[in-house]
Amino acid sequence: MQMEQLYQEIILDHYKNPHGRGLRDPFDAESFQVNPTCGDEVTLRVKLDGETVTDVSYEGQGCSISQASTSVLTDLVVGRSVGEAFKTLDAFTELMQGKGQVEPDEDVLEDGVAFAGVAKYPARVKCALLGWMAFKDAVVRAEGNAA
Amino acid sequence: MQMEQLYQEIILDHYKNPHGRGLRDPFDAESFQVNPTCGDEVTLRVKLDGETVTDVSYEGQGCSISQASTSVLTDLVVGRSVGEAFKTLDAFTELMQGKGQVEPDEDVLEDGVAFAGVAKYPARVKCALLGWMAFKDAVVRAEGNAA
Amino acid sequence: MSSADGLDVAALRKDFPILQRTVRDGKPLHYIDSGATSQRPRQVLDAEREFLETSNAAVHRGAHQLAEEATDAYEGARQKIADFVGAAADELVFVKNATEGINLVAYAMSNASVAGPESERFRLGPGDEIVVTEMEHHANLVPWQQLALRTGATLKWFGVTDDGRLDLSAVDELITAKTRIVAFTHQSNVLGTVTPVATLAAKARAAGALTVLDACQSVPHQKVDFRALGVDFAVFSGHKMLGPSGVGVLYGRRALLEAMPPFLTGGSMIEMVQMASSTFAPPPQRFEAGVPMTSQAVGLGAAVDYLSVVGMDRINAHEHLLTEAALRGLAEIPGVTIVGPADMKDRGGAVSFVIDGVHPHDAGQVLDDLGVAVRVGHHCAWPLHRRLGIPASIRASFYLYNDLDDVTALLDGVRETKRFFGVS
Amino acid sequence: MSSADGLDVAALRKDFPILQRTVRDGKPLHYIDSGATSQRPRQVLDAEREFLETSNAAVHRGAHQLAEEATDAYEGARQKIADFVGAAADELVFVKNATEGINLVAYAMSNASVAGPESERFRLGPGDEIVVTEMEHHANLVPWQQLALRTGATLKWFGVTDDGRLDLSAVDELITAKTRIVAFTHQSNVLGTVTPVATLAAKARAAGALTVLDACQSVPHQKVDFRALGVDFAVFSGHKMLGPSGVGVLYGRRALLEAMPPFLTGGSMIEMVQMASSTFAPPPQRFEAGVPMTSQAVGLGAAVDYLSVVGMDRINAHEHLLTEAALRGLAEIPGVTIVGPADMKDRGGAVSFVIDGVHPHDAGQVLDDLGVAVRVGHHCAWPLHRRLGIPASIRASFYLYNDLDDVTALLDGVRETKRFFGVS
Ligand SMILES: Cc1ncc(COP(=O)(O)O)c(C=O)c1O
Ligand SMILES: Cc1ncc(COP(=O)(O)O)c(C=O)c1O
């Protein structure tokens, strides 16, 4: 059974006890993302202070992969600069789209390395990226609003 | 070579020397028919006198089969009653759609029996029926006008 | 060994090469996803290949021997399929899938506004109403939304009851003199629910509305006779009934097809073409623009032969048996809720369910790891899932090649899923 | 034995089972009708069958292993085909045939009037002009006539010269600020004429018009690069390039596909669906409603592999050699007139002609009786035939599996036709 490789303890922990969940005010921009093949959805808000991501709050419904990866996202980006956050986002995206061939960097991705197994299941990659897409979109909107 | 069975002398004769060709006045109704797969076309007029077909005149372009069968048509219907003409039409249609299994009745079809070989070539059946469809349509129109 | 219903499934399964394969490190494949697409027996694969190796040519266009043979094979398949669903050959239009068939009708109706007077009855505008149901597959919903958008007509719908039946209580408010189209499914691809087609068709007819039946999930699984059902149009897909992908069928009553304006235009569907304008061939050619899916039609003809030899009644009885076993087994597992009718009344072989505390996607993953191929998600029936208050579901859908082993594997998989995610 | 151009036709022919058969009482088959549809090598048949026997499932819908493999195979084919025509994978939409591809663009443009502001640039109305040519296949003419009818736009066209070239003398009157679409063929399926695509595309671009290229007769026969040609949209069909029937391709520049409203609607092309309205997925999914022609896409991928291994340049050179031989041979037969360019400049391997005193249908019948399969009629280019003053023509169209024997059989057949009908 390869399920243990896919569903690492870290993933199941984040799924059962998600970090930063709930929609909070104030925020600079909100993004709603949906996975059309399964109906999973997430609404995510970001609050920036200059170049710093000061809060990420979210609500949604979805599988353990999508919920846990959004929870991990908040750990990885809140308190960091937008530049750093986007670097992490790129690293996570690369890992997910790497078909299991990409070696994750634990220094960058921390708990995110637990998702390495997802990359072998193409139908689940979108789940893992759902919250991250929402984050990217929300930041772009926030910066657009500020400009 | 089975071509001699398809292109009987009678067909080639009618093709080279078509009977009743040309559009004539007076007429009661006209029909234009086209074979969309090859572009062959015929314009055909009928003149009725009560129940009698007194003239069939036509013009068109097409292969030997379509031209010859229209020529044979004029021989078979002019001077006959509409009822008789439609019986001949039914017999000819049955022969054409019979896939080579129908035995033609020479008493009814006269020169028309020469087309028996056409029934084995499905793509040519429409050619043989083109003028006959025009005749049928024109008579229906003529009777519609009269009514 | 033949099952209780007289179907020798073990023998049948030998006809389906893909069912011999294993998945996920050597596990036998339990393919319980035929509602999405069915597998093909070698008889269908062979028929298509034989056609391609002997008679392939452009149909209805050539005069040479290959073209004659190809046209014969293509039209022969049409006749065979027409016999199978109680229609005449010239009432069947080959399309690429059922989705295209529904779109064809919807676009022909908006095209009617720029076509001749013969297509008057297809014209739609503000004040006119289109009625669908809340249990439709997106294929029988979105095209009507778009038609409403194009024409200014209004879209209305039948609701669904909590136990997954069509809510007919408002039928007389829904189907009225304003109604122009009633489009509904014969069998829900999620719930398995079989709808009262004849009743709805009669109501629609009395109101002067046209009916469009989505027969995607009925034609593969039971004997269907479109004339007897009294519908005006119906669609189904080849790939769900042992046939090839890339071919589907639109049925339309002859008088309607004759009056209906074309949809896709181009070669083979014309009567006369000039630079400025064209006229069109009679049906079914009018609706088959371009070189068609020739070998696929031949393959679908072979699929219909295969189904007929096995017998639709026996197939239906066999699926009934499997569905009943699955429903019974699932009901015994704590935390599992059936989505749709829990009994066997007016119900086909799609069994959808949810597991408390486990997202369907996660359940599907564990099942897949055990070799059990089911579908998870909203199954292209998102509004239905929203209505039932669930984001997604797990669907098992049976066909003639499934057996009680597949049911057992499913039930074991559900238990293992619960164990894995620690829910009880 | 390899021919002068280095193509080992005898070896290639062994890959095509149908070419081994005989017709009309044992005569070897000379299949010179590839312009209508091509034959398929066993490599293509095998690829499709292997897919169906191992990985068949509904693509983009399932999460089980079969669905993963099927999706990979389907998207892998898209990538392969994209590489073959100089495009990115997400710029290719799978359609059932080229005809559907052209209709897709034409309907998307009329749908733009009820879509959001992002599709503004596709909207068409009175005063706007659509430009086509007099040498178009009905597939690239009738959809534009219908679009004009639906929107009130005006249809205009380039004429054809007596020697079968596009008459560009009026180009500046035809392509103006009013022009919204310029739709034209890359290579005439009747005349063999190759059109100056880059020139026309540049003119259209300068005028702010969109170009739609009918590449049905170019992609199978020469190296084509849509980006390099600078067209906005292009279409071609699988069945004309050794691939399956039931699959074709629409190419569209990414930015255009992204802004274009959908055509067929239903499953797999949506983003969100509610009862009253829906939003749509990004391209190419937005344009692929319903379960697609999965195995056919895989087969087309295999066809592209086959063509690439043989080499498009060698195929082109080989057809050049056969065409030249046919043109030379026909010119020597009294009473035969070539329809289209009589020289090899900007010319592909379709050779159409008429015989004085013999109707093309009758000539086709004699040729067929001799085992020579050619097409007779207007070849879905009726206005072109009318322009050239002929009701129909005889067309020989060559492909990689033809050889000089086929040319000889054609020429002998034409002579026999004349003898049979007693014309000299
Ligand atoms: C130039 C041209 N355009 C369009 C088509 C239409 O292709 P299809 O019938 O495969 O859609 C053809 C072939 O029939 C063609 O030769
Ligand atoms: C009930 C129902 N309707 C319509 C469809 C659409 O069929 P297709 O995707 O073959 O067009 C399906 C299957 O996906 C279905 O189950």
Side-chain angles (χ1 to χ4, degrees):
Chain A
M1 172 106 158
Q2 308 191 321
M3 285 300 93
E4 280 81 10
Q5 279 174 41
L6 173 62
Y7 292 106
Q8 306 220 352
E9 276 307 313
I10 299 179
I11 294 182
L12 296 178
D13 284 350
H14 274 277
Y15 179 44
K16 282 169 198 157
N17 303 298
H19 305 178
R21 200 183 163 90
L23 289 176
R24 285 181 294 277
D25 285 310
F27 64 98
D28 295 313
E30 182 177 290
S31 172
F32 172 74
Q33 296 289 321
V34 66
N35 182 343
T37 42
C38 62
D40 286 2
E41 50 186 58
V42 65
T43 304
L44 184 146
R45 295 174 174 178
V46 291
K47 173 87 194 106
L48 304 182
D49 182 2
E51 259 300 287
T52 309
V53 179
T54 54
D55 193 28
V56 169
S57 69
Y58 63 97
E59 209 172 69
Q61 60 189 17
C63 63
S64 59
I65 306 287
S66 71
Q67 298 303 298
S69 102
T70 311
S71 169
V72 168
L73 161 83
T74 65
D75 289 354
L76 287 172
V77 302
V78 175
R80 307 269 171 90
S81 75
V82 168
E84 274 178 281
F86 273 38
K87 255 188 216 140
T88 311
L89 183 149
D90 287 345
F92 190 71
T93 308
E94 194 198 344
L95 175 63
M96 287 300 98
Q97 292 172 345
K99 302 190 171 175
Q101 307 302 309
V102 173
E103 199 53 55
D105 180 345
E106 187 152 6
D107 288 346
V108 177
L109 291 177
E110 302 177 21
D111 277 6
V113 300
F115 292 83
V118 176
K120 286 185 210 134
Y121 296 89
R124 306 305 296 275
V125 170
K126 274 192 196 159
C127 308
L129 290 175
L130 192 68
W132 294 77
M133 292 300 105
F135 173 68
K136 186 175 178 179
D137 183 47
V139 170
V140 170
R141 282 165 195 255
E143 293 183 330
N145 293 347
Chain B
M1 171 107 159
Q2 307 190 320
M3 285 300 95
E4 280 80 8
Q5 278 173 41
L6 173 61
Y7 292 105
Q8 307 221 353
E9 275 308 314
I10 298 178
I11 296 182
L12 296 178
D13 283 350
H14 274 278
Y15 180 44
K16 281 169 197 155
N17 302 299
H19 304 179
R21 199 182 165 91
L23 290 175
R24 283 181 294 278
D25 285 310
F27 64 98
D28 295 313
E30 183 176 288
S31 173
F32 173 74
Q33 296 289 322
V34 66
N35 182 342
T37 43
C38 62
D40 287 1
E41 50 186 58
V42 65
T43 304
L44 183 145
R45 295 175 174 178
V46 290
K47 173 84 194 110
L48 304 182
D49 183 1
E51 259 300 289
T52 310
V53 180
T54 54
D55 193 27
V56 169
S57 69
Y58 65 95
E59 207 170 69
Q61 59 188 18
C63 62
S64 58
I65 305 288
S66 72
Q67 298 303 296
S69 100
T70 312
S71 169
V72 167
L73 161 82
T74 64
D75 288 353
L76 287 172
V77 301
V78 175
R80 306 270 171 91
S81 74
V82 168
E84 275 179 280
F86 272 39
K87 256 187 218 144
T88 309
L89 182 148
D90 286 345
F92 190 72
T93 308
E94 196 200 342
L95 175 64
M96 286 301 96
Q97 291 173 345
K99 301 189 173 177
Q101 307 301 310
V102 173
E103 199 54 55
D105 181 345
E106 187 153 8
D107 288 344
V108 176
L109 291 177
E110 302 177 19
D111 277 7
V113 300
F115 291 83
V118 176
K120 285 185 212 136
Y121 297 90
R124 306 306 296 279
V125 169
K126 274 193 196 160
C127 307
L129 290 175
L130 192 67
W132 295 75
M133 293 299 105
F135 172 68
K136 187 176 180 178
D137 184 48
V139 171
V140 170
R141 282 165 196 255
E143 293 182 330
N145 292 346
Chain C
M1 221 192 62
S2 70
S3 90
D5 46 37
L7 211 60
D8 188 348
V9 178
L12 280 183
R13 287 176 66 89
K14 295 211 180 89
D15 290 334
F16 294 80
I18 202 170
L19 298 181
Q20 325 305 323
R21 77 165 274 182
T22 59
V23 291
R24 302 288 179 216
D25 297 331
K27 305 209 187 60
L29 170 66
H30 295 283
Y31 188 77
I32 328 184
D33 194 18
S34 296
T37 201
S38 65
Q39 299 299 343
R40 268 160 255 187
R42 60 182 162 68
Q43 287 84 343
V44 168
L45 301 173
D46 288 348
E48 215 179 325
R49 184 147 189 156
E50 199 202 312
F51 170 80
L52 291 168
E53 294 192 346
T54 57
S55 307
N56 182 49
V59 299
H60 286 303
R61 292 195 177 181
H64 53 71
Q65 187 178 349
L66 258 50
E68 273 178 11
E69 290 179 11
T71 305
D72 262 7
Y74 181 68
E75 292 303 330
R78 195 196 303 271
Q79 182 64 58
K80 227 180 248 182
I81 300 162
D83 293 343
F84 188 69
V85 294
D90 61 1
E91 294 178 315
L92 291 200
V93 176
F94 284 121
V95 287
K96 69 175 177 178
N97 54 23
T99 303
E100 185 196 339
I102 296 168
N103 278 273
L104 192 165
V105 178
Y107 274 103
M109 295 192 78
S110 50
N111 286 347
S113 67
V114 292
E118 73 290 353
S119 57
E120 175 79 48
R121 69 177 299 181
F122 295 103
R123 280 182 207 153
L124 224 63
D128 291 329
E129 296 181 354
I130 304 166
V131 177
V132 296
T133 90
E134 218 176 356
M135 64 167 77
E136 294 314 306
H137 187 281
H138 296 163
N140 202 26
L141 169 59
V142 189
W144 304 117
Q145 292 177 345
Q146 296 292 109
L147 175 62
L149 212 58
R150 289 197 300 276
T151 60
T154 303
L155 188 73
K156 303 204 156 178
W157 53 89
F158 283 97
V160 169
T161 64
D162 289 336
D163 59 342
R165 301 282 177 185
L166 221 44
D167 180 356
L168 295 174
S169 60
V171 62
D172 293 320
E173 286 104 87
L174 281 167
I175 303 184
T176 70
K178 289 184 184 167
T179 312
R180 302 295 309 283
I181 305 165
V182 184
F184 60 101
T185 191
H186 194 173
Q187 180 169 324
S188 161
N189 66 316
V190 177
L191 311 166
T193 310
V194 173
T195 60
V197 178
T199 309
L200 283 169
K203 284 267 180 202
R205 197 167 40 246
L210 295 170
T211 43
V212 181
L213 184 70
D214 177 351
C216 280
Q217 297 290 350
S218 56
V219 167
H221 301 289
Q222 62 177 85
K223 185 90 204 96
V224 172
D225 183 322
F226 291 138
R227 287 241 189 85
L229 287 171
V231 294
D232 293 311
F233 296 98
V235 297
F236 55 98
S237 274
H239 68 91
K240 291 191 202 278
M241 51 190 289
L242 312 185
S245 59
V247 63
V249 170
L250 167 70
Y251 158 81
R253 279 201 297 116
R254 186 182 285 120
L256 291 171
L257 290 185
E258 269 165 8
M260 198 162 80
F263 165 46
L264 299 178
T265 57
S268 298
M269 55 73 69
I270 55 94
E271 182 187 58
M272 281 274 273
V273 177
Q274 294 182 310
M275 282 311 292
S277 70
S278 304
T279 56
F280 306 111
Q285 270 66 45
R286 187 188 304 156
F287 303 103
E288 296 184 358
V291 170
M293 46 298 284
T294 329
S295 69
Q296 290 81 11
V298 171
L300 184 52
V304 158
D305 284 342
Y306 189 94
L307 291 170
S308 301
V309 167
V310 178
M312 291 311 292
D313 289 341
R314 286 165 75 203
I315 292 171
N316 195 247
H318 178 68
E319 290 178 23
H320 190 97
L321 185 146
L322 299 180
T323 306
E324 207 161 23
L327 287 173
R328 197 169 342 104
L330 287 168
E332 284 166 9
I333 305 177
V336 169
T337 309
I338 301 291
V339 179
D343 59 48
M344 287 307 299
K345 189 173 168 295
D346 294 334
R347 192 192 200 300
V351 178
S352 294
F353 59 97
V354 291
I355 307 173
D356 274 0
V358 184
H359 190 279
H361 244 198
D362 292 320
Q365 199 77 53
V366 177
L367 288 167
D368 171 48
D369 198 62
L370 297 167
V372 180
V374 294
R375 176 127 176 237
V376 295
H378 52 58
H379 324 307
C380 301
W382 206 335
L384 174 65
H385 279 79
R386 224 178 269 116
R387 156 67 184 88
L388 298 171
I390 49 175
S393 62
I394 305 155
R395 180 187 71 184
S397 51
F398 300 104
Y399 211 178
L400 71 171
Y401 40 63
N402 292 118
D403 57 19
L404 287 170
D405 274 0
D406 295 322
V407 177
T408 305
L410 172 70
L411 299 173
D412 288 347
V414 171
R415 279 183 284 262
E416 171 58 22
T417 301
K418 288 183 61 188
R419 192 203 59 75
F420 185 81
F421 286 103
V423 299
S424 52
Chain D
M1 222 190 59
S2 70
S3 90
D5 46 38
L7 211 60
D8 189 347
V9 179
L12 280 183
R13 288 177 66 90
K14 294 212 179 88
D15 291 333
F16 294 81
I18 203 171
L19 298 180
Q20 325 305 323
R21 77 165 273 182
T22 59
V23 289
R24 303 287 179 217
D25 297 329
K27 305 210 187 59
L29 170 65
H30 296 282
Y31 188 77
I32 327 182
D33 193 19
S34 296
T37 201
S38 66
Q39 298 300 343
R40 268 162 254 185
R42 61 184 162 67
Q43 287 84 343
V44 168
L45 301 173
D46 288 348
E48 214 179 326
R49 184 148 189 156
E50 199 201 310
F51 170 80
L52 290 169
E53 294 192 346
T54 57
S55 307
N56 183 49
V59 300
H60 285 303
R61 292 196 179 181
H64 53 72
Q65 186 177 349
L66 258 49
E68 274 178 11
E69 291 180 12
T71 305
D72 262 6
Y74 180 68
E75 292 304 329
R78 195 195 305 271
Q79 183 62 60
K80 226 180 250 183
I81 300 163
D83 293 343
F84 187 70
V85 294
D90 61 1
E91 294 178 317
L92 292 200
V93 175
F94 284 121
V95 286
K96 68 175 178 180
N97 54 22
T99 302
E100 185 195 340
I102 296 168
N103 278 273
L104 192 165
V105 178
Y107 274 103
M109 295 191 78
S110 50
N111 287 346
S113 65
V114 293
E118 73 289 352
S119 57
E120 175 80 50
R121 68 177 301 181
F122 295 104
R123 281 182 207 154
L124 225 64
D128 290 330
E129 296 181 354
I130 305 166
V131 178
V132 296
T133 90
E134 217 175 357
M135 64 168 75
E136 294 313 307
H137 188 281
H138 295 163
N140 202 26
L141 169 59
V142 189
W144 304 118
Q145 291 177 347
Q146 295 292 107
L147 175 62
L149 212 58
R150 288 197 299 276
T151 59
T154 303
L155 188 73
K156 304 203 156 180
W157 54 88
F158 284 98
V160 168
T161 64
D162 290 335
D163 59 340
R165 301 282 179 186
L166 223 45
D167 180 357
L168 295 174
S169 59
V171 62
D172 293 320
E173 285 104 87
L174 280 168
I175 303 183
T176 70
K178 291 185 183 165
T179 312
R180 302 294 309 284
I181 305 163
V182 183
F184 59 101
T185 191
H186 195 173
Q187 181 170 321
S188 161
N189 65 315
V190 177
L191 310 165
T193 309
V194 173
T195 60
V197 178
T199 310
L200 284 169
K203 285 269 180 199
R205 195 164 44 246
L210 296 169
T211 43
V212 180
L213 185 69
D214 177 351
C216 280
Q217 297 289 348
S218 57
V219 166
H221 301 288
Q222 62 178 85
K223 186 90 205 93
V224 173
D225 184 322
F226 291 138
R227 287 241 189 84
L229 286 171
V231 294
D232 293 310
F233 295 99
V235 297
F236 55 98
S237 275
H239 68 90
K240 292 190 200 278
M241 51 191 288
L242 312 185
S245 57
V247 63
V249 171
L250 167 69
Y251 158 81
R253 281 201 297 114
R254 185 182 286 120
L256 291 171
L257 289 185
E258 268 165 8
M260 198 161 82
F263 165 46
L264 300 178
T265 57
S268 298
M269 55 73 68
I270 55 95
E271 183 187 56
M272 280 275 272
V273 178
Q274 294 181 313
M275 281 312 290
S277 70
S278 305
T279 56
F280 307 110
Q285 270 67 44
R286 186 188 305 157
F287 303 103
E288 296 183 357
V291 169
M293 48 297 286
T294 330
S295 70
Q296 291 81 12
V298 171
L300 184 53
V304 158
D305 283 342
Y306 189 94
L307 291 170
S308 301
V309 167
V310 178
M312 291 311 291
D313 289 341
R314 285 165 75 204
I315 291 171
N316 197 246
H318 177 68
E319 290 179 21
H320 190 98
L321 184 145
L322 299 180
T323 307
E324 208 162 22
L327 286 173
R328 198 169 342 104
L330 287 168
E332 283 166 9
I333 304 178
V336 169
T337 308
I338 302 291
V339 179
D343 60 47
M344 289 304 301
K345 191 173 166 297
D346 294 334
R347 193 194 199 300
V351 178
S352 294
F353 58 97
V354 290
I355 307 174
D356 275 0
V358 183
H359 189 278
H361 243 197
D362 293 318
Q365 199 75 51
V366 176
L367 288 166
D368 171 48
D369 198 63
L370 296 167
V372 179
V374 294
R375 176 128 176 236
V376 294
H378 52 58
H379 321 309
C380 300
W382 206 334
L384 174 64
H385 279 80
R386 223 178 267 118
R387 156 66 185 87
L388 298 172
I390 49 176
S393 62
I394 306 154
R395 179 186 72 185
S397 52
F398 299 104
Y399 211 179
L400 70 170
Y401 40 61
N402 292 118
D403 57 19
L404 287 170
D405 274 359
D406 294 324
V407 176
T408 305
L410 171 70
L411 299 174
D412 288 347
V414 171
R415 277 184 285 264
E416 172 58 21
T417 301
K418 289 184 59 190
R419 192 201 60 72
F420 185 80
F421 287 102
V423 298
S424 53

